[in-house]
Amino acid sequence: METLREASLYRPRNGLLECLVCERRCRIPPGKRGYCRTRANRDGKLYTLVYGDISAMESRPIEIKPFFHFYPGSSAMTFSTWGCNMACPWCQNWHLSRRAAEPARANYVSPGSMVEAAIRGGDRGVCASFQEPALLFEYLLDVFKLAREKGLYSCAVSNGYMTEKALEKLGEAGMDAIKIDIKGDAEVYKKHLGGLDAGVVWRNAEKARDMGLHVEMVNLIVTGVNDSPEQIRGLVVEHLERLGPWVPLHFTRYFPAYRFTASPTQVSVLEKAYTTAREMGVQYPYVGNLPGHRYENTYCHGCGKLLIEREGYRLKRYKVTHEKKCPFCGAEIPLVA
Ligand code: SF4
């Protein structure tokens, strides 16, 4: 089976196989799968079951990820497999993330075909998204390498829970940018995500930035989970301490999904999060899932003038110069284009 390949990051440990792709570091007994159900111990070797098993694939605007400071206005061939290493009760893509990989029914797309599809469709890059990209680890190493050879960018939309080794390897393979979801403070991870460690996510965001990757952070504000002013202030403090003022911070609107039925995030909560971040020193905060809202636009940090106007996921106006400067005051705008 094409989608069944020996995994590249694991080690034997007390008769089990320890998967080293994400910080769950599952110790998998013979014949069993890890938590995400994409990796299996078979005859003393760890296998990925999802190499190139593509659950969804389409050309999408980069703004939808959201990346607002990375090739604005471009599109990327966006793809995913099955499963996830987290189980957010409000998952918006649960039909992909909660399904176990089934190698016998795989939809195999080779790395070459993926990159070809991007080129044919006029995309500037490729992007692993929808469920946790790290589960496609071995496949991404091949796709990203090929994409770079063909002059395309590579990016991922991640929950940031991979191991440092996995992140390093993805960077070496050609990953240019990563959007990382931070779900909230330690309490949110403890209560809603089975005790996972928020510190790992910040560590990886910092590491990605230090590796020279373009990083943007996203906080989905979920009603009754992480929407108090104290939680939002705490998140902004952490963002500034770990990543500084120039890494964009998006606050996106939650809608009921999967097992979560609380009402959608109030617009006033998102607006307050934006102004809090701005006042505390984040130079490029945004709101998301509020099409046409003024806080989805980019304003110069120097003079406050409107530089990029967005409508939904499309650009309506783009005024940043070729030198990536504000045409009004000359400030350098931190974006990759
Ligand atoms: S990638 Fe999957 S199998 Fe590996 S440690 Fe993470 S959850 Fe476990």
Side-chain angles (χ1 to χ4, degrees), residues 32-302:
K32 299 287 185 204
R33 294 188 187 189
Y35 177 88
C36 63
R37 299 183 286 179
T38 69
R39 271 139 218 284
N41 179 342
R42 294 190 178 177
D43 305 320
K45 284 185 178 171
L46 192 69
Y47 288 87
T48 169
L49 307 175
V50 293
Y51 184 96
D53 181 2
I54 299 304
S55 62
M57 174 178 167
E58 69 173 336
S59 173
R60 297 190 123 202
I62 199 72
E63 278 75 18
I64 212 170
K65 314 297 172 199
F67 278 117
F68 280 8
H69 288 233
F70 184 72
Y71 294 97
S74 70
S75 66
M77 181 52 68
T78 307
F79 57 92
S80 59
T81 187
W82 311 101
C84 198
N85 56 348
M86 289 192 185
C88 307
W90 48 80
C91 182
Q92 313 276 312
N93 288 325
W94 61 272
H95 56 293
L96 305 177
S97 66
R98 303 318 310 150
R99 224 174 102 177
E102 293 179 68
R105 296 172 58 191
N107 171 42
Y108 180 66
V109 178
S110 71
S113 302
M114 183 61 74
V115 171
E116 268 310 307
I119 293 168
R120 250 196 339 269
D123 296 317
R124 291 283 300 276
V126 292
C127 188
S129 184
F130 305 133
Q131 43 72 252
E132 174 48 37
L135 307 188
L136 274 172
F137 180 68
E138 292 78 6
Y139 184 67
L140 294 190
L141 297 184
D142 293 342
V143 172
F144 289 174
K145 186 162 172 281
L146 203 53
R148 182 161 284 185
E149 282 169 18
K150 299 284 184 187
L152 301 179
Y153 65 66
S154 294
C155 58
V157 173
S158 173
N159 57 34
Y161 217 70
M162 69 279 280
T163 57
E164 290 185 89
K165 181 54 86 186
L167 182 54
E168 280 163 21
K169 293 268 179 209
L170 290 170
E172 285 163 18
M175 183 163 71
D176 298 291
I178 186 164
K179 187 224 83 174
I180 294 182
D181 278 307
I182 179 76
K183 318 268 178 196
D185 55 19
E187 194 56 31
V188 170
Y189 280 83
K190 190 170 154 202
K191 192 167 165 202
H192 297 279
L193 291 152
L196 295 183
D197 180 5
V200 166
V201 182
W202 289 112
R203 177 202 75 191
N204 283 342
E206 255 183 297
K207 187 177 176 76
R209 184 208 49 193
D210 293 346
M211 284 164 55
L213 269 62
H214 175 78
V215 177
E216 300 199 21
M217 299 299 287
V218 175
N219 176 221
L220 179 76
I221 300 188
V222 182
T223 308
V225 171
N226 56 2
D227 59 348
S228 76
E230 297 70 35
Q231 285 169 304
I232 289 164
R233 262 200 306 278
L235 188 118
V236 174
V237 167
E238 192 91 29
H239 180 90
L240 287 165
E241 280 178 10
R242 301 283 200 141
L243 301 170
W246 299 106
V247 171
L249 174 58
H250 303 250
F251 298 102
T252 52
R253 190 178 199 196
Y254 141 90
F255 289 95
Y258 189 37
R259 288 191 269 134
F260 226 70
T261 54
S263 52
T265 324
Q266 286 179 26
V267 174
S268 60
V269 170
L270 293 153
E271 289 172 336
K272 181 78 182 126
Y274 175 98
T275 50
T276 300
R278 194 82 188 82
E279 283 161 17
M280 289 174 70
V282 178
Q283 298 298 313
Y284 289 96
Y286 293 100
V287 298
N289 294 341
L290 286 177
H293 194 287
R294 66 190 187 286
Y295 292 165
E296 286 203 331
N297 298 330
T298 299
Y299 300 92
C300 175
H301 64 272

